[in-house]
Amino acid sequence: MRTARLARALACVAAVASAATAMAQPRHARRPAPAPPPPPPPPPPPPGVRPGSLAAMAYMSGKQLLVGWHAPSTKAVACDAGGRPMLTLRSMNRGDALAVPAMAEEGGFAAADLDRLAHLLRASGGEEHPLDPRTLSLVYRIQTHFGASEVVVVSGYRVPKPGSHSNHGKGRAVDLIVPGVPDEEVARFARDQGFVGVGVYPTSQFVHVDIRPRSYFWVDYSGPHAKNREASIFGELAAKGDAAALARGQAPIEPFDVATDVDAALRARGMPVEPTTTDDEEDEEN
């Protein structure tokens, strides 16, 4: 009898304690906010394209390791006298760096600074070529969008081979890395700019950006100094990006050509051309 009575007393104490705990909790406990959905994964390797190394597979699945040149930087962002971030480029192959001021929020650079940038981004053999300012403005927007202290340049100008149509040989392309930012995030932002070429390279792990009359996006699993294994991706997104750029007043990129008639080139772009005099006329005036 004593044992049964003790058991009932213990059960009663447990029930009271449980009820007290339940009453102590708020009736409308605040639930934690649901986590935002993850961004859509990059596209799988196109049919017929081999994925390559485990690192390349991790890269395409959004699990790129931010080590080496991709490691986050602890450097402060360089700003001009007015507090605007400067375009800061570092050559991966040479290690030298250059910071130049931008003339506007969207980019634009002085002629003297364009010459300095052309020297920094010269070919491996030392050959230099003028760089299209719009390409550098695109790189500047990438840098400022991610708040990066610098952009690492894998390749700038490359001497074109016979029959090559690469924008690197036209001063219109840069292969780059943004320290601390996965390449796929860099590529996703660049694809929205309109009239751009954007390529991701999961094996070598960098992003190619260029300017062109019509956007084109691709993935290439080839390694350094290997034959390209390029495959187009996001075709519809490329067309939508160009349409959006036109809607916000962005001018299309004209095809690259080489000409010696400067006046004709200016007229083709709707720019005024001042009349000139011949040498004979100048002699007569003198």
Side-chain angles (χ1 to χ4, degrees):
M1 290 292 293
R2 183 178 300 175
T3 301
R5 192 178 301 116
L6 180 61
R8 287 194 297 270
L10 291 175
C12 180
V13 171
V16 171
S18 177
T21 301
M23 293 178 63
Q25 293 183 354
R27 297 181 59 185
H28 301 288
R30 181 176 298 177
R31 296 182 180 179
V49 177
R50 298 173 58 188
S53 65
L54 292 176
M57 296 173 64
Y59 177 102
M60 291 302 290
S61 65
K63 300 177 181 178
Q64 180 186 10
L65 295 177
L66 299 180
V67 296
W69 289 104
H70 284 85
S73 175
T74 58
K75 301 175 184 177
V77 176
C79 296
D80 61 18
R84 177 181 292 145
M86 301 174 73
L87 172 64
T88 305
L89 303 182
R90 180 173 300 278
S91 170
M92 171 187 286
N93 297 317
R94 296 184 175 91
D96 48 346
L98 177 64
V100 299
M103 295 189 296
E105 297 295 331
E106 294 294 307
F109 307 95
D113 290 332
L114 290 174
D115 290 341
R116 298 168 64 203
L117 290 165
H119 178 71
L120 177 73
L121 303 186
R122 62 194 182 276
S124 58
E127 299 88 349
E128 296 186 18
H129 187 280
L131 300 172
D132 194 308
R134 293 166 297 185
T135 302
L136 295 170
S137 293
L138 171 62
V139 176
Y140 180 71
R141 292 197 299 273
I142 292 172
Q143 177 188 335
T144 56
H145 174 77
F146 291 105
S149 59
E150 64 182 14
V151 170
V152 177
V153 176
V154 180
S155 179
Y157 172 68
R158 294 203 297 261
V159 178
K161 298 179 180 179
S164 171
H165 300 286
S166 171
N167 276 312
H168 282 283
K170 304 169 183 176
R172 285 188 162 192
V174 174
D175 296 339
L176 55 81
I177 293 169
V178 180
V181 183
D183 287 348
E184 179 55 31
E185 290 188 24
V186 175
R188 188 181 302 121
F189 173 77
R191 293 183 190 117
D192 289 338
Q193 301 307 299
F195 307 112
V196 291
V198 182
V200 292
Y201 289 75
T203 301
S204 298
Q205 301 207 359
F206 63 83
V207 180
H208 168 109
V209 296
D210 65 48
I211 61 168
R212 57 180 64 200
R214 185 173 62 183
S215 289
Y216 174 71
F217 309 144
W218 69 92
V219 59
D220 190 331
Y221 284 90
S222 62
H225 310 295
K227 184 178 180 180
N228 288 352
R229 290 154 58 183
E230 177 184 312
S232 174
I233 57 175
F234 299 134
E236 293 185 2
L237 182 62
K240 290 180 180 178
D242 288 352
L246 285 173
R248 60 177 178 260
Q250 183 174 332
I253 304 297
E254 75 282 353
F256 183 88
D257 57 1
V258 178
T260 58
D261 191 337
V262 177
D263 289 346
L266 292 174
R267 284 192 291 268
R269 289 158 176 77
M271 302 176 67
V273 177
E274 295 184 0
T276 58
T277 60
T278 65
D279 293 340
D280 292 339
E281 290 173 336
E282 290 177 352
D283 291 339
E284 292 175 359
E285 292 176 357
N286 293 335

